[in-house]
Amino acid sequence: LAPVWLPSFIVIKRLGKGNKKRILSEEEEAYIRKATEDSMGFFREACKETWGYLPADSLQIYPAEGLGLRTSPTDIGMFLLAAVSYADLALPGAEEMLNMASSALKTAERLPGKAGHLYNWYDLTTMLPAPPKVLSSVDSGNLRASLYVFSEAMREYGRDEDADRARRMADGTRFDLFYRKEKKLLAVAYDDEKGMLTENSYDLYESEARIASFLAIAHGEAETEHWKKLGRAVMTFCGAAGAASWGGTMFEYLTPYLFMSAPEGTLARESEAFAVMAEKLSGERKRLPWGVSESAFYAFDDTFHYRYKAHGSSLLATAPSRSGEYVIAPYAAFMALESEGSVENLRRIEREGGRGKYGFFEAIDASDDKASRPTELYMPHHIGMQAAAAANALLDGIHRKRFMKSPNHRAFRRLLWESPRHYPEADAVLGEAPPATLGNARGARLFPEPQKRRNDQMIYDVNGKSLTLDASGVFSDPEEQLKVKLRHRDDELQLLPQKGRKGEKLETILAKDAVLFSRKEKDFTSEIRFVLGNTPHLTFILSNHAPVREEFRVTAEKGGRQFASYDVSLLPGENWREERRIDG
């Protein structure tokens, strides 16, 4: 497959302005400021003198009310970042937040750790590491980056003692401990109880771990070759492109942008814009707000506390979430504040029940097409990201500028300037369907009930032939006509061309170089992704939504001649995917 490169101005236009810098209206700015101000109330509840003003990991409102009495390096770092953001925005109560953050920093310095790193979790009732005693490279990266920003901010505010203390702690958090020289990668964690690194490493460019990677290289704790080892397989959709991530979460794409700036047209910025585009497409298709990321969601453990996991877009992920998941995290929407439509998106989240006493809740869970249910929980690392993103959006990237003031960081800023032109294309041409409102990307259009839209057509080049294809999937040339049938139980359904029946939902997306035909029934979902051009191929996808094992048979023919047949057996919740080239 050919490398992907699209000039920045083209991509930004195609993404509905992507995350291009924009000017917020006075009304929008006031909305962001009020939501950010409200979030201070959470830290007043979570940061108590009893545990040295360190932030408790959660405050649950419903159904089991109370604080989660543990904390992490990321919790601490994001509280410091939030306190600075409140001061930068000159919000009422900001001085109180800075004083609490100063006390929290003094407490953090006294916590037992290893080689300059804090352990992954501390019990706030004992102030000791919570078992198992593990050090996390990504959490240390989040804390260290926050400390550098906090140090610069304290210098600006004339709090030199805090500035010096934060800088010393940051410089002491070295990543030699995590660096695997033989692989030139950072290990995910160090298990202090076993005295060894864990087996897995961070090996993708689009990851929150990129913060730790940059810091390790900039401070001489990892070789520059480490940067080149990070995977950059490029995903494409409707002419836009961006590097793939592991889970397809906005957390992976946008957390580094809280600290590290890059010019337009670079791999980092193109990928950020691509991720925002994918989120907007998902939200518009579901007629819901956008902003899917890792978060708590509406499911409970045996103590009635919310569960937590990564939720992402299948268009962006190398390891996507299960089919049907759709969990909107307001903090992720905040991190995209510099993109078009972001404030209206937050208002939609609020209308779905996503805002409470301390600002926006942790999440809105609309999985499996159920009614939106708020996850009535607040978490310090996500509240801190919200506040930091608000300050960046309203104050021209203030935290990114502070982070880059470090001579070490400036010296290696060119690492962030690479273009996407030389990286391979991943196997993801058409993922989630774009809606008509955002379908201007290379002419993509969404058609509900395509069986009724025979007059809506596009012209395609297939093996050198110019053919017309309508929204139902009928070709102008019978010799090129594709037919796909599905046998399920006692029914035989025609998936292509699309033929509907009562109780099912059909959609077609016509893009410039690819087409998606989808069908949603009570017990299963099917998709056919048709990539055109000189090497046309079909991708068949089935998802079983029934509570029992289901059997399917898929057959495909071209011009009346069968070229593929598959017998598929799926357990509940299981997916099947098969790609087949169309010859001739």
PDB file of all heavy atoms in Angstrom, residues 520-548:
ATOM      1  N   LYS A 520     -28.674  -3.520  10.433  1.00  0.00           N
ATOM      2  CA  LYS A 520     -28.795  -3.831  11.845  1.00  0.00           C
ATOM      3  C   LYS A 520     -30.114  -4.523  12.121  1.00  0.00           C
ATOM      4  O   LYS A 520     -31.188  -3.952  11.907  1.00  0.00           O
ATOM      5  CB  LYS A 520     -28.679  -2.562  12.689  1.00  0.00           C
ATOM      6  CG  LYS A 520     -28.654  -2.835  14.188  1.00  0.00           C
ATOM      7  CD  LYS A 520     -28.278  -1.601  14.970  1.00  0.00           C
ATOM      8  CE  LYS A 520     -28.124  -1.940  16.456  1.00  0.00           C
ATOM      9  NZ  LYS A 520     -27.742  -0.750  17.242  1.00  0.00           N
ATOM     10  N   GLU A 521     -30.024  -5.768  12.573  1.00  0.00           N
ATOM     11  CA  GLU A 521     -31.196  -6.554  12.957  1.00  0.00           C
ATOM     12  C   GLU A 521     -31.205  -6.697  14.479  1.00  0.00           C
ATOM     13  O   GLU A 521     -30.276  -6.276  15.172  1.00  0.00           O
ATOM     14  CB  GLU A 521     -31.125  -7.936  12.292  1.00  0.00           C
ATOM     15  CG  GLU A 521     -31.072  -7.901  10.777  1.00  0.00           C
ATOM     16  CD  GLU A 521     -32.386  -8.292  10.141  1.00  0.00           C
ATOM     17  OE1 GLU A 521     -33.297  -8.704  10.880  1.00  0.00           O
ATOM     18  OE2 GLU A 521     -32.496  -8.183   8.908  1.00  0.00           O
ATOM     19  N   LYS A 522     -32.232  -7.334  14.997  1.00  0.00           N
ATOM     20  CA  LYS A 522     -32.336  -7.522  16.442  1.00  0.00           C
ATOM     21  C   LYS A 522     -31.166  -8.331  16.985  1.00  0.00           C
ATOM     22  O   LYS A 522     -30.599  -7.997  18.032  1.00  0.00           O
ATOM     23  CB  LYS A 522     -33.659  -8.223  16.783  1.00  0.00           C
ATOM     24  CG  LYS A 522     -33.824  -8.526  18.274  1.00  0.00           C
ATOM     25  CD  LYS A 522     -35.112  -9.278  18.539  1.00  0.00           C
ATOM     26  CE  LYS A 522     -35.218  -9.642  20.022  1.00  0.00           C
ATOM     27  NZ  LYS A 522     -36.450 -10.415  20.309  1.00  0.00           N
ATOM     28  N   ASP A 523     -30.774  -9.402  16.279  1.00  0.00           N
ATOM     29  CA  ASP A 523     -29.786 -10.330  16.820  1.00  0.00           C
ATOM     30  C   ASP A 523     -28.402 -10.219  16.190  1.00  0.00           C
ATOM     31  O   ASP A 523     -27.469 -10.884  16.649  1.00  0.00           O
ATOM     32  CB  ASP A 523     -30.276 -11.781  16.654  1.00  0.00           C
ATOM     33  CG  ASP A 523     -31.470 -12.088  17.541  1.00  0.00           C
ATOM     34  OD1 ASP A 523     -31.556 -11.490  18.637  1.00  0.00           O
ATOM     35  OD2 ASP A 523     -32.316 -12.899  17.141  1.00  0.00           O
ATOM     36  N   PHE A 524     -28.255  -9.412  15.147  1.00  0.00           N
ATOM     37  CA  PHE A 524     -26.928  -9.296  14.531  1.00  0.00           C
ATOM     38  C   PHE A 524     -26.820  -7.997  13.746  1.00  0.00           C
ATOM     39  O   PHE A 524     -27.822  -7.355  13.412  1.00  0.00           O
ATOM     40  CB  PHE A 524     -26.640 -10.493  13.614  1.00  0.00           C
ATOM     41  CG  PHE A 524     -27.443 -10.503  12.344  1.00  0.00           C
ATOM     42  CD1 PHE A 524     -26.967  -9.881  11.188  1.00  0.00           C
ATOM     43  CD2 PHE A 524     -28.686 -11.126  12.289  1.00  0.00           C
ATOM     44  CE1 PHE A 524     -27.706  -9.880  10.026  1.00  0.00           C
ATOM     45  CE2 PHE A 524     -29.435 -11.132  11.128  1.00  0.00           C
ATOM     46  CZ  PHE A 524     -28.944 -10.505   9.990  1.00  0.00           C
ATOM     47  N   THR A 525     -25.581  -7.629  13.477  1.00  0.00           N
ATOM     48  CA  THR A 525     -25.266  -6.500  12.606  1.00  0.00           C
ATOM     49  C   THR A 525     -24.331  -6.992  11.516  1.00  0.00           C
ATOM     50  O   THR A 525     -23.412  -7.774  11.783  1.00  0.00           O
ATOM     51  CB  THR A 525     -24.581  -5.364  13.383  1.00  0.00           C
ATOM     52  OG1 THR A 525     -25.455  -4.904  14.410  1.00  0.00           O
ATOM     53  CG2 THR A 525     -24.236  -4.198  12.468  1.00  0.00           C
ATOM     54  N   SER A 526     -24.561  -6.552  10.289  1.00  0.00           N
ATOM     55  CA  SER A 526     -23.662  -6.900   9.190  1.00  0.00           C
ATOM     56  C   SER A 526     -23.163  -5.630   8.525  1.00  0.00           C
ATOM     57  O   SER A 526     -23.861  -4.615   8.475  1.00  0.00           O
ATOM     58  CB  SER A 526     -24.375  -7.777   8.149  1.00  0.00           C
ATOM     59  OG  SER A 526     -25.344  -7.022   7.438  1.00  0.00           O
ATOM     60  N   GLU A 527     -21.926  -5.685   8.034  1.00  0.00           N
ATOM     61  CA  GLU A 527     -21.356  -4.602   7.248  1.00  0.00           C
ATOM     62  C   GLU A 527     -20.627  -5.188   6.056  1.00  0.00           C
ATOM     63  O   GLU A 527     -19.992  -6.243   6.164  1.00  0.00           O
ATOM     64  CB  GLU A 527     -20.380  -3.759   8.068  1.00  0.00           C
ATOM     65  CG  GLU A 527     -21.020  -2.902   9.131  1.00  0.00           C
ATOM     66  CD  GLU A 527     -20.023  -1.956   9.783  1.00  0.00           C
ATOM     67  OE1 GLU A 527     -18.853  -1.904   9.321  1.00  0.00           O
ATOM     68  OE2 GLU A 527     -20.401  -1.278  10.749  1.00  0.00           O
ATOM     69  N   ILE A 528     -20.732  -4.504   4.941  1.00  0.00           N
ATOM     70  CA  ILE A 528     -19.935  -4.831   3.762  1.00  0.00           C
ATOM     71  C   ILE A 528     -19.188  -3.572   3.375  1.00  0.00           C
ATOM     72  O   ILE A 528     -19.806  -2.542   3.088  1.00  0.00           O
ATOM     73  CB  ILE A 528     -20.800  -5.312   2.583  1.00  0.00           C
ATOM     74  CG1 ILE A 528     -21.596  -6.548   2.983  1.00  0.00           C
ATOM     75  CG2 ILE A 528     -19.932  -5.597   1.364  1.00  0.00           C
ATOM     76  CD1 ILE A 528     -22.599  -6.978   1.940  1.00  0.00           C
ATOM     77  N   ARG A 529     -17.882  -3.632   3.408  1.00  0.00           N
ATOM     78  CA  ARG A 529     -17.045  -2.504   3.038  1.00  0.00           C
ATOM     79  C   ARG A 529     -16.417  -2.802   1.671  1.00  0.00           C
ATOM     80  O   ARG A 529     -15.697  -3.777   1.512  1.00  0.00           O
ATOM     81  CB  ARG A 529     -15.969  -2.273   4.085  1.00  0.00           C
ATOM     82  CG  ARG A 529     -16.546  -2.070   5.469  1.00  0.00           C
ATOM     83  CD  ARG A 529     -15.480  -1.911   6.532  1.00  0.00           C
ATOM     84  NE  ARG A 529     -16.082  -1.822   7.854  1.00  0.00           N
ATOM     85  CZ  ARG A 529     -15.398  -1.633   8.980  1.00  0.00           C
ATOM     86  NH1 ARG A 529     -14.096  -1.492   8.939  1.00  0.00           N
ATOM     87  NH2 ARG A 529     -16.014  -1.571  10.148  1.00  0.00           N
ATOM     88  N   PHE A 530     -16.724  -1.964   0.718  1.00  0.00           N
ATOM     89  CA  PHE A 530     -16.312  -2.180  -0.665  1.00  0.00           C
ATOM     90  C   PHE A 530     -15.305  -1.099  -1.037  1.00  0.00           C
ATOM     91  O   PHE A 530     -15.638   0.078  -1.125  1.00  0.00           O
ATOM     92  CB  PHE A 530     -17.545  -2.126  -1.576  1.00  0.00           C
ATOM     93  CG  PHE A 530     -17.265  -2.363  -3.029  1.00  0.00           C
ATOM     94  CD1 PHE A 530     -16.160  -3.097  -3.443  1.00  0.00           C
ATOM     95  CD2 PHE A 530     -18.125  -1.866  -3.991  1.00  0.00           C
ATOM     96  CE1 PHE A 530     -15.916  -3.320  -4.787  1.00  0.00           C
ATOM     97  CE2 PHE A 530     -17.891  -2.084  -5.333  1.00  0.00           C
ATOM     98  CZ  PHE A 530     -16.779  -2.806  -5.731  1.00  0.00           C
ATOM     99  N   VAL A 531     -14.042  -1.503  -1.213  1.00  0.00           N
ATOM    100  CA  VAL A 531     -12.981  -0.583  -1.612  1.00  0.00           C
ATOM    101  C   VAL A 531     -12.776  -0.711  -3.111  1.00  0.00           C
ATOM    102  O   VAL A 531     -12.570  -1.820  -3.623  1.00  0.00           O
ATOM    103  CB  VAL A 531     -11.675  -0.886  -0.863  1.00  0.00           C
ATOM    104  CG1 VAL A 531     -10.573   0.066  -1.321  1.00  0.00           C
ATOM    105  CG2 VAL A 531     -11.905  -0.753   0.638  1.00  0.00           C
ATOM    106  N   LEU A 532     -12.826   0.424  -3.816  1.00  0.00           N
ATOM    107  CA  LEU A 532     -12.783   0.401  -5.270  1.00  0.00           C
ATOM    108  C   LEU A 532     -11.381   0.748  -5.773  1.00  0.00           C
ATOM    109  O   LEU A 532     -10.432   0.791  -5.013  1.00  0.00           O
ATOM    110  CB  LEU A 532     -13.830   1.375  -5.827  1.00  0.00           C
ATOM    111  CG  LEU A 532     -15.251   1.034  -5.384  1.00  0.00           C
ATOM    112  CD1 LEU A 532     -15.708   1.998  -4.297  1.00  0.00           C
ATOM    113  CD2 LEU A 532     -16.214   1.091  -6.541  1.00  0.00           C
ATOM    114  N   GLY A 533     -11.283   0.988  -7.066  1.00  0.00           N
ATOM    115  CA  GLY A 533      -9.989   1.303  -7.659  1.00  0.00           C
ATOM    116  C   GLY A 533      -9.460   0.149  -8.473  1.00  0.00           C
ATOM    117  O   GLY A 533     -10.208  -0.709  -8.964  1.00  0.00           O
ATOM    118  N   ASN A 534      -8.132   0.095  -8.628  1.00  0.00           N
ATOM    119  CA  ASN A 534      -7.510  -0.938  -9.469  1.00  0.00           C
ATOM    120  C   ASN A 534      -7.428  -2.298  -8.784  1.00  0.00           C
ATOM    121  O   ASN A 534      -7.225  -3.317  -9.454  1.00  0.00           O
ATOM    122  CB  ASN A 534      -6.112  -0.486  -9.899  1.00  0.00           C
ATOM    123  CG  ASN A 534      -6.174   0.687 -10.850  1.00  0.00           C
ATOM    124  OD1 ASN A 534      -7.130   0.823 -11.617  1.00  0.00           O
ATOM    125  ND2 ASN A 534      -5.174   1.566 -10.788  1.00  0.00           N
ATOM    126  N   THR A 535      -7.543  -2.348  -7.468  1.00  0.00           N
ATOM    127  CA  THR A 535      -7.527  -3.627  -6.740  1.00  0.00           C
ATOM    128  C   THR A 535      -8.743  -3.670  -5.817  1.00  0.00           C
ATOM    129  O   THR A 535      -8.618  -3.618  -4.595  1.00  0.00           O
ATOM    130  CB  THR A 535      -6.226  -3.802  -5.932  1.00  0.00           C
ATOM    131  OG1 THR A 535      -6.072  -2.673  -5.049  1.00  0.00           O
ATOM    132  CG2 THR A 535      -5.033  -3.932  -6.842  1.00  0.00           C
ATOM    133  N   PRO A 536      -9.945  -3.755  -6.376  1.00  0.00           N
ATOM    134  CA  PRO A 536     -11.155  -3.721  -5.535  1.00  0.00           C
ATOM    135  C   PRO A 536     -11.243  -4.938  -4.626  1.00  0.00           C
ATOM    136  O   PRO A 536     -10.848  -6.050  -5.005  1.00  0.00           O
ATOM    137  CB  PRO A 536     -12.290  -3.705  -6.558  1.00  0.00           C
ATOM    138  CG  PRO A 536     -11.712  -4.291  -7.797  1.00  0.00           C
ATOM    139  CD  PRO A 536     -10.271  -3.896  -7.806  1.00  0.00           C
ATOM    140  N   HIS A 537     -11.749  -4.735  -3.416  1.00  0.00           N
ATOM    141  CA  HIS A 537     -11.953  -5.863  -2.509  1.00  0.00           C
ATOM    142  C   HIS A 537     -13.109  -5.570  -1.560  1.00  0.00           C
ATOM    143  O   HIS A 537     -13.471  -4.416  -1.324  1.00  0.00           O
ATOM    144  CB  HIS A 537     -10.678  -6.195  -1.727  1.00  0.00           C
ATOM    145  CG  HIS A 537     -10.173  -5.077  -0.872  1.00  0.00           C
ATOM    146  ND1 HIS A 537      -9.317  -4.111  -1.364  1.00  0.00           N
ATOM    147  CD2 HIS A 537     -10.391  -4.776   0.424  1.00  0.00           C
ATOM    148  CE1 HIS A 537      -9.026  -3.256  -0.396  1.00  0.00           C
ATOM    149  NE2 HIS A 537      -9.664  -3.629   0.703  1.00  0.00           N
ATOM    150  N   LEU A 538     -13.682  -6.637  -1.046  1.00  0.00           N
ATOM    151  CA  LEU A 538     -14.775  -6.566  -0.081  1.00  0.00           C
ATOM    152  C   LEU A 538     -14.275  -6.990   1.287  1.00  0.00           C
ATOM    153  O   LEU A 538     -13.436  -7.892   1.405  1.00  0.00           O
ATOM    154  CB  LEU A 538     -15.917  -7.499  -0.483  1.00  0.00           C
ATOM    155  CG  LEU A 538     -16.776  -7.143  -1.706  1.00  0.00           C
ATOM    156  CD1 LEU A 538     -17.755  -8.276  -1.976  1.00  0.00           C
ATOM    157  CD2 LEU A 538     -17.515  -5.844  -1.493  1.00  0.00           C
ATOM    158  N   THR A 539     -14.799  -6.350   2.322  1.00  0.00           N
ATOM    159  CA  THR A 539     -14.597  -6.816   3.691  1.00  0.00           C
ATOM    160  C   THR A 539     -15.970  -7.113   4.279  1.00  0.00           C
ATOM    161  O   THR A 539     -16.861  -6.257   4.274  1.00  0.00           O
ATOM    162  CB  THR A 539     -13.876  -5.766   4.543  1.00  0.00           C
ATOM    163  OG1 THR A 539     -12.598  -5.483   3.971  1.00  0.00           O
ATOM    164  CG2 THR A 539     -13.672  -6.279   5.964  1.00  0.00           C
ATOM    165  N   PHE A 540     -16.160  -8.353   4.755  1.00  0.00           N
ATOM    166  CA  PHE A 540     -17.422  -8.777   5.362  1.00  0.00           C
ATOM    167  C   PHE A 540     -17.258  -8.719   6.883  1.00  0.00           C
ATOM    168  O   PHE A 540     -16.259  -9.209   7.422  1.00  0.00           O
ATOM    169  CB  PHE A 540     -17.773 -10.212   4.970  1.00  0.00           C
ATOM    170  CG  PHE A 540     -17.756 -10.466   3.481  1.00  0.00           C
ATOM    171  CD1 PHE A 540     -16.634 -10.997   2.872  1.00  0.00           C
ATOM    172  CD2 PHE A 540     -18.865 -10.186   2.698  1.00  0.00           C
ATOM    173  CE1 PHE A 540     -16.603 -11.242   1.501  1.00  0.00           C
ATOM    174  CE2 PHE A 540     -18.855 -10.425   1.334  1.00  0.00           C
ATOM    175  CZ  PHE A 540     -17.720 -10.956   0.729  1.00  0.00           C
ATOM    176  N   ILE A 541     -18.234  -8.165   7.583  1.00  0.00           N
ATOM    177  CA  ILE A 541     -18.192  -8.085   9.038  1.00  0.00           C
ATOM    178  C   ILE A 541     -19.548  -8.506   9.593  1.00  0.00           C
ATOM    179  O   ILE A 541     -20.590  -8.021   9.140  1.00  0.00           O
ATOM    180  CB  ILE A 541     -17.849  -6.666   9.518  1.00  0.00           C
ATOM    181  CG1 ILE A 541     -16.475  -6.227   8.988  1.00  0.00           C
ATOM    182  CG2 ILE A 541     -17.869  -6.584  11.039  1.00  0.00           C
ATOM    183  CD1 ILE A 541     -16.146  -4.784   9.281  1.00  0.00           C
ATOM    184  N   LEU A 542     -19.528  -9.402  10.577  1.00  0.00           N
ATOM    185  CA  LEU A 542     -20.739  -9.830  11.279  1.00  0.00           C
ATOM    186  C   LEU A 542     -20.526  -9.699  12.779  1.00  0.00           C
ATOM    187  O   LEU A 542     -19.445 -10.020  13.293  1.00  0.00           O
ATOM    188  CB  LEU A 542     -21.079 -11.282  10.954  1.00  0.00           C
ATOM    189  CG  LEU A 542     -21.688 -11.600   9.587  1.00  0.00           C
ATOM    190  CD1 LEU A 542     -21.815 -13.106   9.422  1.00  0.00           C
ATOM    191  CD2 LEU A 542     -23.058 -10.937   9.449  1.00  0.00           C
ATOM    192  N   SER A 543     -21.548  -9.241  13.501  1.00  0.00           N
ATOM    193  CA  SER A 543     -21.511  -9.155  14.960  1.00  0.00           C
ATOM    194  C   SER A 543     -22.767  -9.811  15.519  1.00  0.00           C
ATOM    195  O   SER A 543     -23.878  -9.487  15.095  1.00  0.00           O
ATOM    196  CB  SER A 543     -21.452  -7.693  15.412  1.00  0.00           C
ATOM    197  OG  SER A 543     -20.314  -7.049  14.887  1.00  0.00           O
ATOM    198  N   ASN A 544     -22.587 -10.722  16.464  1.00  0.00           N
ATOM    199  CA  ASN A 544     -23.707 -11.440  17.063  1.00  0.00           C
ATOM    200  C   ASN A 544     -24.167 -10.730  18.332  1.00  0.00           C
ATOM    201  O   ASN A 544     -23.427 -10.631  19.304  1.00  0.00           O
ATOM    202  CB  ASN A 544     -23.280 -12.878  17.395  1.00  0.00           C
ATOM    203  CG  ASN A 544     -24.404 -13.675  18.032  1.00  0.00           C
ATOM    204  OD1 ASN A 544     -25.571 -13.293  17.951  1.00  0.00           O
ATOM    205  ND2 ASN A 544     -24.063 -14.775  18.680  1.00  0.00           N
ATOM    206  N   HIS A 545     -25.410 -10.229  18.335  1.00  0.00           N
ATOM    207  CA  HIS A 545     -25.979  -9.568  19.503  1.00  0.00           C
ATOM    208  C   HIS A 545     -26.931 -10.472  20.279  1.00  0.00           C
ATOM    209  O   HIS A 545     -27.472 -10.054  21.310  1.00  0.00           O
ATOM    210  CB  HIS A 545     -26.747  -8.310  19.071  1.00  0.00           C
ATOM    211  CG  HIS A 545     -25.944  -7.375  18.249  1.00  0.00           C
ATOM    212  ND1 HIS A 545     -24.679  -6.961  18.613  1.00  0.00           N
ATOM    213  CD2 HIS A 545     -26.201  -6.766  17.050  1.00  0.00           C
ATOM    214  CE1 HIS A 545     -24.203  -6.130  17.696  1.00  0.00           C
ATOM    215  NE2 HIS A 545     -25.095  -6.012  16.736  1.00  0.00           N
ATOM    216  N   ALA A 546     -27.134 -11.681  19.812  1.00  0.00           N
ATOM    217  CA  ALA A 546     -28.055 -12.604  20.481  1.00  0.00           C
ATOM    218  C   ALA A 546     -27.399 -13.185  21.738  1.00  0.00           C
ATOM    219  O   ALA A 546     -26.180 -13.232  21.854  1.00  0.00           O
ATOM    220  CB  ALA A 546     -28.448 -13.730  19.525  1.00  0.00           C
ATOM    221  N   PRO A 547     -28.189 -13.679  22.685  1.00  0.00           N
ATOM    222  CA  PRO A 547     -27.627 -14.263  23.917  1.00  0.00           C
ATOM    223  C   PRO A 547     -27.135 -15.695  23.735  1.00  0.00           C
ATOM    224  O   PRO A 547     -26.691 -16.319  24.702  1.00  0.00           O
ATOM    225  CB  PRO A 547     -28.810 -14.197  24.889  1.00  0.00           C
ATOM    226  CG  PRO A 547     -30.015 -14.279  24.012  1.00  0.00           C
ATOM    227  CD  PRO A 547     -29.668 -13.557  22.746  1.00  0.00           C
ATOM    228  N   VAL A 548     -27.233 -16.227  22.509  1.00  0.00           N
ATOM    229  CA  VAL A 548     -26.815 -17.604  22.235  1.00  0.00           C
ATOM    230  C   VAL A 548     -25.920 -17.626  21.001  1.00  0.00           C
ATOM    231  O   VAL A 548     -25.818 -16.642  20.257  1.00  0.00           O
ATOM    232  CB  VAL A 548     -28.044 -18.521  21.995  1.00  0.00           C
ATOM    233  CG1 VAL A 548     -28.898 -18.608  23.245  1.00  0.00           C
ATOM    234  CG2 VAL A 548     -28.864 -18.011  20.811  1.00  0.00           C
TER     235      VAL A 548
END
